[in-house]
Amino acid sequence: MITPSNRSVPASLRFSSLLLLLPGVMPGLAAGAEARRPNILFAIADDESFGTAGAYGCSWVKTPAFDRVAAQGVLFTHAYTPNAKCAPSRAAILTGRNSWQLEAAANHWCFFPPKFKSSFEALGEHGYFTGYTGKPWAPGVARNAAGGPRFLTGREFSRRTLEPPTTGIARDDYAGNFADFLDAAPRGQPWCFWYGSREPHRPYEYGSGAAKGGKQVAGIDRVPPYWPDNDTVRHDLLDYALEVEHFDAHLGRMLADLEKRGQLEHTLVIVTSDNGMPFPRVKGQEYDFSNHLPLAIMWLARLPKPGRVVDDFVSFIDFAPTFIELAGLTPTQTGMAPMTGRSLTDLLFSDRAGHINPARDHVLIGKERHDVGRPHDWGYPIRGLVEAGMIYLHNFATTRWPEGDPVTGYLNCDGSPTKTLILEAHRANPADKYWVLAFAKRPGDELYNLRADPDCMHNLAGEPGQAATLQRMQTQLFQELKQQDDARMFGHGDVFDRYPYADASGVNFYERYLKGEKLNFSWVNPGDFEPQPKD
């Protein structure tokens, strides 16, 4: 497995031949009306971690489509979501704003505020044909000010289904639905399509990676040290790998379809994921492996020096301003709320690799409420700063459980063989280190040296030699959050806990569960629940 900062990029992907730019067109679209507005294919996996793709040097996950996009475009090594959970991560993508700038949309399963227009909605209003297949912005409820439905990612295309290769994989024929979208797109009109795979989200069919994918546990080069290294965990990883490959296979079909139609050359292709893999201490948390994600971008007609590897820090809030700029629009024209993100065109249209823009030297991350299960439906607020070689995290509510309350099954950690293994080991030995790393309560400050400790195992906060670094990073983090009007910085961060949970069946989960009510907890296993405290 590739660690967040110790990547291995094949030399063959670093440089290739120089593509000629379109005649008379400057590198940025602001050059003039001669520039052709690109089609946009945005492909987003559900819970794929950084490094588990061939272009990053991973051998046990086969991703030829992702690797093609990287080889014929740009591969990014430091792309981050601001919030490592489905709905808030996707909200940041669509709005160009950090989750703490999105009111209720900072949370998972929220009511999306009508005031925040999505980039897809804006593109649809300015000449683009928009649509999606699979998982759009979700889960949650999005309505306009009049109470009507909103189409944050355009019109749905979901008619085609297929027989899935495993019981854990959805029936969606993503590539078939994309073909329907292309058939429906008006000739000569640019389009923007959201391919939202439901994979590799859990549940998985245990053992499918080996039985149906022909994979071997010995093929995994590395298991992170915050999980036990045994066959149970390795099979869990192989099952994850098979689902990543399913996402990639549909992407490959889409690229082939575009090529057949003669549209690939003028299509901006973006391939990424919404958050890290659905394993303990990753998805739903804010460690480096939680937020650090794969990203490759290709535009055959426009990007110079295909195969470049870019090491600048980029955030998911940079996608929306990129789409808006490439569509030839100004932010004012869109009617969107002011975007905090910066267009990626400075990196895409450069002919350089490595570090390009000195201003892209860090990103901010954080979270509020994800899944319910704590008293009063409280979240677990975190803010963090990631820079070259370091990550600083501030936990605002250290008396709460970071992965969800034990009594209610640690609901912010999806059920899995790996989770079950760790919980059972903890019950046998309360001092078990894997439970402490994944589920125990945390201190107010965490500081990790990503070069020496990419897995964030050794907290440097409190060590005398690190006091200056911690203070510097905390000061920078808090100053930027204040500039972004983060409620946590002004003493009223509890507003995020008061935003209603949009899934009525889960509201007040903790209190209702303790009263004996039978509730839906389908995303965790029945054995995840710890005994209720005695009176």
Side-chain angles (χ1 to χ4, degrees):
M1 176 176 292
I2 304 302
T3 60
S5 54
N6 292 338
R7 56 180 172 81
S8 175
V9 181
S12 61
L13 291 186
R14 290 188 173 271
F15 296 100
S16 185
S17 59
L18 176 64
L19 280 178
L20 295 177
L21 297 180
L22 292 175
V25 179
M26 296 295 289
L29 269 199
E34 349 164 71
R36 175 174 176 173
R37 299 204 291 177
N39 303 316
I40 300 171
L41 172 58
F42 187 79
I44 180 169
D46 197 356
D47 301 357
E48 179 187 352
S49 281
F50 173 83
T52 53
Y56 292 114
C58 183
S59 61
W60 54 276
V61 188
K62 307 300 183 183
T63 55
F66 180 89
D67 301 348
R68 177 187 181 182
V69 173
Q72 298 182 329
V74 180
L75 179 67
F76 292 82
T77 63
H78 290 89
Y80 286 77
T81 178
N83 192 321
K85 196 76 169 186
C86 301
S89 177
R90 292 160 190 255
I93 290 169
L94 289 167
T95 62
R97 295 170 67 86
N98 284 307
S99 54
W100 47 88
Q101 298 178 291
L102 291 172
E103 298 178 357
N107 292 340
H108 197 59
W109 262 112
C110 74
F111 291 99
F112 198 99
K115 67 191 291 184
F116 297 118
K117 181 184 292 187
S118 79
S119 56
F120 274 60
E121 289 174 310
L123 291 175
E125 294 171 355
H126 290 83
Y128 270 75
F129 182 66
T130 61
Y132 78 94
T133 192
K135 183 173 179 176
W137 171 81
V141 176
R143 301 191 184 103
N144 58 33
R150 291 178 65 183
F151 304 97
L152 296 178
T153 53
R155 172 182 160 191
E156 181 179 5
F157 286 80
S158 60
R159 180 173 63 89
R160 299 187 184 273
T161 60
L162 47 69
E163 190 63 31
T166 76
T167 57
I169 289 176
R171 294 180 56 83
D172 303 72
D173 183 356
Y174 305 113
N177 290 319
F178 178 56
D180 286 347
F181 168 83
L182 292 177
D183 290 341
R187 186 175 180 83
Q189 182 177 349
W191 52 259
C192 185
F193 188 78
W194 176 288
Y195 162 32
S197 173
R198 303 185 192 279
E199 290 77 34
H201 195 288
R202 292 189 185 274
Y204 304 153
E205 180 181 310
Y206 185 71
S208 58
K212 297 182 178 180
K215 298 180 178 297
Q216 298 181 349
V217 294
I220 298 173
D221 59 320
R222 179 180 181 273
V223 173
Y226 38 80
W227 307 324
D229 186 354
N230 57 32
D231 280 359
T232 298
V233 174
R234 284 176 172 260
H235 273 294
D236 207 7
L237 287 168
L238 294 183
D239 300 342
Y240 156 86
L242 188 64
E243 296 217 355
V244 173
E245 292 173 1
H246 184 79
F247 160 70
D248 192 79
H250 279 269
L251 174 63
R253 288 174 56 194
M254 293 178 183
L255 298 179
D257 193 356
L258 287 172
E259 205 160 27
K260 181 179 178 180
R261 295 170 187 257
Q263 296 191 42
L264 184 59
E265 182 181 7
H266 297 292
T267 299
L268 179 76
V269 181
I270 304 97
V271 191
T272 189
S273 173
D274 56 357
N275 47 252
M277 58 171 53
F279 283 70
R281 207 175 188 261
V282 183
K283 177 183 177 181
Q285 302 308 304
E286 299 297 307
Y287 293 111
D288 193 75
F289 208 40
S290 307
N291 298 68
H292 192 179
L293 298 174
L295 175 62
I297 300 179
M298 175 177 78
W299 186 3
L300 295 178
R302 294 295 311 279
L303 302 190
K305 287 191 176 178
R308 288 183 296 122
V309 178
V310 171
D311 297 321
D312 291 53
F313 282 83
V314 300
S315 172
F316 277 19
I317 61 175
D318 298 334
F319 289 132
T322 304
F323 297 161
I324 296 306
E325 179 184 348
L326 294 180
L329 302 172
T330 66
T332 303
Q333 286 176 297
T334 66
M336 297 173 64
M339 291 180 282
T340 307
R342 298 170 289 177
S343 172
L344 294 170
T345 53
D346 60 322
L347 307 180
L348 295 177
F349 294 124
S350 172
D351 62 0
R352 296 169 53 200
H355 293 285
I356 298 171
N357 185 343
R360 294 186 180 272
D361 61 353
H362 72 283
V363 291
L364 302 189
I365 60 176
K367 60 178 283 192
E368 285 294 336
R369 183 179 65 220
H370 288 171
D371 291 303
V372 290
R374 298 183 190 86
H376 315 294
D377 290 341
W378 284 334
Y380 191 84
I382 303 175
R383 299 292 185 272
L385 171 69
V386 189
E387 63 181 26
M390 299 296 294
I391 182 171
Y392 166 70
L393 302 173
H394 184 76
N395 301 304
F396 288 87
T398 57
T399 61
R400 303 178 191 176
W401 295 95
E403 292 262 25
D405 199 286
V407 172
T408 49
Y410 307 92
L411 290 182
N412 201 40
C413 179
D414 296 350
S416 69
T418 300
K419 179 181 178 182
T420 296
L421 188 74
I422 293 173
L423 293 182
E424 289 178 347
H426 170 64
R427 290 161 189 152
N429 173 20
D432 180 76
K433 68 176 183 178
Y434 298 112
W435 182 89
V436 172
L437 288 166
F439 298 106
K441 293 181 179 179
R442 299 170 185 165
D445 292 312
E446 296 181 74
L447 181 69
Y448 301 96
N449 183 326
L450 295 176
R451 292 192 179 96
D453 179 23
D455 299 299
C456 301
M457 300 287 287
H458 180 53
N459 184 10
L460 301 176
E463 293 192 4
Q466 299 296 326
T469 298
L470 189 151
Q471 186 59 54
R472 174 184 61 79
M473 294 185 73
Q474 183 186 82
T475 298
Q476 180 181 350
L477 172 65
F478 288 0
Q479 284 179 345
E480 292 191 29
L481 292 172
K482 288 177 181 177
Q483 293 169 359
Q484 296 177 18
D485 294 323
D486 181 359
R488 286 278 166 206
M489 295 294 102
F490 300 99
H492 49 273
D494 59 334
V495 66
F496 294 109
D497 289 328
R498 296 199 304 269
Y499 289 124
Y501 193 65
D503 178 9
S505 68
V507 174
N508 295 325
F509 189 104
Y510 179 88
E511 289 78 13
R512 292 160 61 194
Y513 177 79
L514 262 62
K515 290 179 180 179
E517 186 176 342
K518 301 297 183 182
L519 299 169
N520 172 37
F521 51 86
S522 57
W523 65 98
V524 298
N525 298 328
D528 293 350
F529 291 72
E530 304 290 3
Q532 296 186 25
K534 296 180 180 179
D535 294 333

